[in-house]
Amino acid sequence: MTSDDPHTAVLRSRVAGLMVQAERDLAQLVSYKSVADPRQFPAEECERAAQWVADAFAAVGLTRVGLHETADGSKAVIASRPAPPGAPTVLLYCHYDVQPPLDEAAWRTPVWELTEKDGRWYGRGAADCKGNIVMHLTALRAIRSELPVGVTLVAEGSEEQGTGGLEKFVVDNPELLRADAILIGDCGNFAGGVPTFTETLRGNVNVLVTVETLAGPLHSGMFGGAAPDALAALIHVLATLRDADGNTTVAGLDNRQTWDGVQYDPDRFRIDAGVLGGVDLAGDGTVAEMLWARPTLTVLAIDAPRVVGSSAAIQPAARARLNLRIPPGIAPKEAHRALVAHLEANTPLHAKLTIELEGLGAPFRSAIGGPARAAMDAALAASYGRPSTTQGQGGSIPLCNVFADTYPDAEIMLIGVEEPKCLIHAPNESVDPSEIQHMALAEALFLTTYRR
Ligand SMILES: [Zn+2]
């Protein structure tokens, strides 16, 4: 490791000394069954988790601490310490609710009891997102009373439910969370030990496509040949959405974009995705380009007769649900228009085509080139002893767009302790304590060096 400057050395040794407490805190947090669905777990579990978070951040010097009810009934914990004159304010985001355990029998350690095994800490929420709560907490503890910036902590209570409680709350209460820099602590490094910004999130366009050709089903022997077959027409138009190499080919959407951040090794991707031996990966770009930089059309479902019980009949109608993921640079409305035009242009036989829009989500790209990003970049490099890189994320975090729209001047950065081995959302979720340690140090360095 390159030698630390004195400031880094002090914080590094403080964070190291705080790891026993970090484990204790995480054990306490994991013990709350804070699944934000009262049909599955009592609401008191979430309330106790929220109260613990509020008390913990009050104890590290945040003053204005409150539990705020949001539109979906969940409570957001907000705690803040105003900025000294002239200094910027940083918003620290995390969530205290967790995914349900899923198949409890598949867990090798108790779901709600933080358990050390082979150097990792296991338990539901250990990484997503309670590990990031502990990251924020440990960073503030390490700084002690020497915090030179304003800090606002927001811990959301229903992130995993996707019910958008905090999204509406931000729009309705913009002043409470206003900040110059926003740290979304709900992501993680590309791999343990590789400091990584999650730079982009894909947006999406979801549509239902129905093709109709006949008044009713017909005998395929008597009518097959001349009768227009709705299922064949649907298969034909869907097939035009990808080429033989697996590239998405929606007319009018750029499918040649490149990715200049971290590259995803194809062999590792094959293992991560469980691709069968002898089967090719899709697309002619790199894995990172296919995942993060280019549009991807997935046929989610097709309504057609089931094989068992089917008869020799031509189908009068067929339906499919489509999911188009779009990278930054493509607006959702523009993607929707292109998809509709493509489907209309490629549906054969002038079959009757109906396209219903189910949902639109905007892609996201974090700001680069600002002072907060530069400070965090340096902080990550100092903490890990190697330069940071960037990755994308295929899914979306709608709250990021709400923050970007509400605070257009804020620098938003996505970081955290959730590297791929954490298996977030799956049984046997775990966190690597050294990621908590390195990320807490990076955050402490950031908070003590960032100037507007
Ligand atoms: Zn999360």
Side-chain angles (χ1 to χ4, degrees):
M1 186 183 300
T2 49
S3 61
D4 285 341
D5 63 64
H7 178 64
T8 305
V10 166
L11 285 176
R12 191 185 296 278
S13 91
R14 284 185 193 169
V15 168
L18 289 165
M19 286 306 290
V20 172
Q21 195 175 357
E23 183 175 6
R24 230 175 17 236
D25 288 348
L26 191 55
Q28 188 62 46
L29 277 167
V30 166
S31 75
Y32 302 121
K33 303 177 175 106
S34 51
V35 176
D37 179 0
R39 293 166 305 181
Q40 298 182 58
F41 292 92
E44 299 82 70
E45 296 282 344
C46 278
E47 280 161 29
R48 287 165 61 219
Q51 194 56 54
W52 189 93
V53 171
D55 294 344
F57 283 91
V60 294
L62 301 195
T63 47
R64 289 178 257 170
V65 183
L67 271 56
H68 299 258
E69 177 131 5
T70 71
D72 63 11
S74 68
K75 290 199 177 72
V77 181
I78 299 177
S80 64
R81 210 177 104 130
T89 295
V90 178
L91 178 65
L92 307 178
Y93 169 88
C94 51
H95 61 87
Y96 63 81
D97 70 310
V98 295
Q99 285 283 326
L102 304 177
D103 181 9
E104 294 216 30
W107 283 77
R108 292 186 294 268
T109 61
V111 176
W112 308 107
E113 200 180 306
L114 193 72
T115 307
E116 208 245 271
K117 203 166 149 278
D118 304 327
R120 296 183 70 91
W121 296 343
Y122 286 80
R124 172 56 86 223
D128 178 17
C129 183
K130 290 169 174 175
N132 288 313
I133 297 177
V134 171
M135 166 185 78
H136 291 323
L137 204 50
T138 305
L140 290 170
R141 264 193 205 123
I143 296 169
R144 299 182 182 168
S145 59
E146 301 146 26
L147 189 63
V149 292
V151 164
T152 303
L153 177 282
V154 58
E156 183 176 9
S158 60
E159 194 276 339
E160 303 291 8
Q161 298 299 316
T163 40
L166 189 62
E167 291 157 45
K168 181 154 188 328
F169 184 85
V170 172
V171 173
D172 293 344
N173 303 273
E175 288 317 314
L176 263 184
L177 301 178
R178 188 174 296 284
D180 303 285
I182 299 176
L183 289 190
I184 305 286
D186 194 12
C187 289
N189 293 330
F190 178 68
V194 180
T196 312
F197 290 96
T198 298
E199 193 111 302
T200 62
L201 305 169
R202 288 197 287 195
N204 62 286
V205 178
N206 291 333
V207 297
L208 280 180
V209 183
T210 307
V211 176
E212 294 165 280
T213 51
L214 296 165
L218 295 175
H219 189 285
S220 64
M222 283 173 72
F223 293 94
D229 180 330
L231 185 53
L234 180 67
I235 290 168
H236 177 91
V237 65
L238 295 183
T240 65
L241 296 166
R242 295 246 188 177
D243 66 19
D245 293 327
N247 297 297
T248 290
T249 50
V250 176
L253 291 190
D254 177 11
N255 68 356
R256 311 309 307 164
Q257 291 192 60
T258 57
W259 180 263
D260 58 9
V262 76
Q263 288 301 328
Y264 201 147
D265 174 52
D267 292 330
R268 183 182 143 193
F269 180 80
R270 295 189 76 90
I271 294 167
D272 291 350
V275 179
L276 300 182
V279 178
D280 297 340
L281 297 186
D284 58 15
T286 67
V287 173
E289 283 163 355
M290 299 310 295
L291 293 178
W292 303 325
R294 299 183 182 184
T296 304
L297 189 293
T298 303
V299 178
L300 301 180
I302 297 180
D303 281 346
R306 296 172 64 86
V307 170
V308 175
S310 58
S311 62
I314 301 166
Q315 295 307 309
R319 187 162 76 138
R321 169 174 274 156
L322 310 185
N323 167 241
L324 177 62
R325 300 272 175 185
I326 47 172
I330 300 180
K333 281 186 180 155
E334 174 200 326
H336 176 237
R337 265 197 304 275
L339 180 59
V340 167
H342 181 107
L343 294 168
E344 286 171 351
N346 289 281
T347 299
L349 308 175
H350 298 102
K352 185 166 176 260
L353 178 71
T354 313
I355 302 166
E356 296 162 68
L357 177 62
E358 288 198 300
L360 285 182
F364 173 82
R365 183 195 293 281
S366 59
I368 51 170
R373 171 63 181 249
M376 182 54 93
D377 206 24
L380 283 168
S383 177
Y384 281 89
R386 61 184 290 178
S388 70
T389 186
T390 59
Q391 66 182 350
Q393 186 171 300
S396 33
I397 306 178
L399 184 65
C400 287
N401 295 89
V402 175
F403 279 145
D405 291 345
T406 311
Y407 313 115
D409 296 329
E411 289 180 69
I412 302 175
M413 294 176 281
L414 285 69
I415 51 139
V417 303
E418 300 166 21
E419 39 78 33
K421 283 193 183 149
C422 295
L423 298 180
I424 63 168
H425 294 207
N428 301 305
E429 178 177 352
S430 68
V431 70
D432 180 344
S434 99
E435 288 290 291
I436 294 182
Q437 192 169 343
H438 281 101
M439 289 306 300
L441 173 58
E443 188 167 310
L445 286 167
F446 168 72
L447 291 172
T448 49
T449 54
Y450 166 47
R451 304 279 179 280
R452 202 157 27 190

